[in-house]
Amino acid sequence: MDFRTLVPLPAAVPPRLQLGDGVMLLGSCFAEEVGRHLQRALPPDDVVVNPFGVLYNPESLHLALHHIIYGSLFFPEEFLFQGSDGLWHSWLHSGAYSDARRDVAAAHMREALDQAARLLPKAHVLCLTFGTNRAYIHRTEGFVVGNCHKEPANLFDVKSLTAEDIVTTWSPLLADLEKDYPNLNVVFTVSPYRYAAYGLHSSQLAKAQLLLAIDSLCAAHRNAFYFPAYEIILDELRDYRFFADDMLHPSPQAAAYVYERFAAWLFSPLLTEYVSEHESLLRAEAHRPLHPDSEAHRKFLKALEKKRAAFNKKWHS
């Protein structure tokens, strides 16, 4: 007897991820959680996670990706402002890039953009996690902001994006990616975070618009795929013990499980072997001895050095 519903992984899968392929993740805090696992598992230069910080709606993600691909002579200065808290923020970025000094904030944003732009040509997978269809439009500037930075509500208009809105925005960019980056595969996911502040029914309606849009995009573009992170959390795990204390965010354990399913779906056998050996080495390196001056620990360190040398010889020589 089986007491859970196992979500089958999609038959439509990109070409398997190989060692040395780049991976970029953009989107909600759920993208950050899974991205941390990828950063730990893969060589650090092969993974970029949220170079604009956490973003939630498809319009903001589109703007961020547009800047990564095409750049801008005026980035990020045209989006910088000094908020009511005295910090310098960007309308395109989360607060992770804010700073009390304008030049420091701008430099941090440029550095992250440059890193993403360098990775994109060798990227094999671009993972985009949509969180909500609710977008906040700056009334004066006229564009969708990535974060309101706790500025007054009367600065913004709120729009609920329809599936048609999202498809209209994203289809041309997916077509450009297919032409200019033929080895890049776009994997869409939907964040399982529930927007209780909007009302749970409204939250479900928002997720429905995102799912409908992604379904249409995947049907129309051969470089677009869907990974069911949303369904794995809500239909397969389906228990509050897999949520954080707020009962809305998935727990770290749940994110780790989704990462395991994602790796099983996407990683090549050789990359799976590399990741397994790398994680074994990382666990050994993280060991904290009770008696660091003991003979047993000295033997452990010698064995660890041999293990590290064998790993580097096998994978990095």
Side-chain angles (χ1 to χ4, degrees):
M1 187 175 292
D2 195 346
F3 290 98
R4 65 172 182 162
T5 302
L6 187 67
V7 174
L9 299 179
V13 58
R16 299 287 182 174
L17 193 68
Q18 306 291 334
L19 184 62
D21 289 338
V23 182
M24 188 182 302
L25 298 96
L26 301 174
S28 75
C29 49
F30 189 71
E32 293 236 319
E33 290 290 334
V34 175
R36 286 191 194 103
H37 288 279
L38 285 167
Q39 285 176 317
R40 174 181 168 86
L42 302 180
D45 292 339
D46 291 347
V47 183
V48 166
V49 180
N50 274 347
F52 283 70
V54 174
L55 300 174
Y56 301 98
N57 72 80
E59 288 281 355
S60 294
L61 281 166
H62 180 270
L63 278 172
L65 185 57
H66 189 276
H67 276 83
I68 293 170
I69 297 170
Y70 302 111
S72 169
L73 293 175
F74 308 104
F75 179 90
E77 282 76 10
E78 63 183 317
F79 302 105
L80 289 175
F81 71 99
Q82 191 169 29
S84 54
D85 57 4
L87 298 177
W88 285 92
H89 305 282
S90 161
W91 289 123
L92 297 188
H93 294 73
S94 76
Y97 289 89
S98 301
D99 197 272
R101 293 163 295 178
R102 188 181 192 276
D103 59 336
V104 172
H108 193 190
M109 294 167 194
R110 284 193 214 99
E111 180 183 359
L113 179 72
D114 289 345
Q115 183 187 18
R118 286 194 302 270
L119 180 74
L120 190 62
K122 78 163 192 172
H124 178 79
V125 169
L126 170 64
C127 190
L128 300 169
T129 301
F130 292 168
T132 179
N133 73 330
R134 185 170 292 201
Y136 290 81
I137 304 168
H138 196 289
R139 287 180 176 173
T140 304
E141 302 293 344
F143 53 74
V144 174
V145 301
N147 196 294
C148 294
H149 297 291
K150 299 182 180 179
E151 293 300 298
N154 61 11
L155 290 179
F156 310 98
D157 291 317
V158 183
K159 179 181 180 181
S160 292
L161 303 171
T162 66
E164 290 77 15
D165 293 332
I166 299 167
V167 170
T168 298
T169 297
W170 274 94
S171 274
L173 191 56
L174 287 175
D176 286 348
L177 289 173
E178 186 175 350
K179 179 182 66 176
D180 298 333
Y181 301 93
N183 295 321
L184 181 66
N185 303 281
V186 181
V187 176
F188 288 98
T189 65
V190 171
S191 169
Y193 175 77
R194 295 170 301 144
Y195 286 82
Y198 300 165
L200 291 178
H201 180 63
S202 293
S203 179
Q204 288 291 78
L205 292 176
K207 302 293 184 184
Q209 294 299 318
L210 301 177
L211 291 165
L212 287 168
I214 290 170
D215 197 54
S216 295
L217 291 169
C218 290
H221 298 275
R222 66 175 184 83
N223 60 338
F225 302 85
Y226 177 66
F227 181 77
Y230 180 78
E231 292 83 355
I232 289 171
I233 296 290
L234 296 183
D235 293 321
E236 183 173 328
L237 299 183
R238 200 181 179 92
D239 193 294
Y240 275 115
R241 75 179 186 273
F242 294 112
F243 283 80
D245 290 345
D246 64 2
M247 296 294 128
L248 299 172
H249 287 87
S251 70
Q253 184 184 34
Y257 179 74
V258 171
Y259 160 72
E260 290 176 2
R261 300 293 307 278
F262 183 73
W265 181 67
L266 187 60
F267 287 7
S268 69
L270 190 64
L271 182 58
T272 300
E273 181 183 349
Y274 169 87
V275 169
S276 177
E277 293 183 15
H278 188 211
E279 290 183 342
S280 176
L281 178 61
L282 290 174
R283 285 193 297 270
E285 290 175 337
H287 173 70
R288 295 294 177 264
L290 288 174
H291 304 287
D293 296 326
S294 67
E295 180 63 24
H297 184 59
R298 283 191 286 272
K299 290 181 178 178
F300 170 81
L301 290 177
K302 288 182 180 178
L304 175 60
E305 188 55 38
K306 288 182 180 179
K307 185 173 185 175
R308 187 184 294 115
F311 177 84
N312 289 331
K313 182 179 180 180
K314 179 177 180 179
W315 297 107
H316 299 303
S317 61

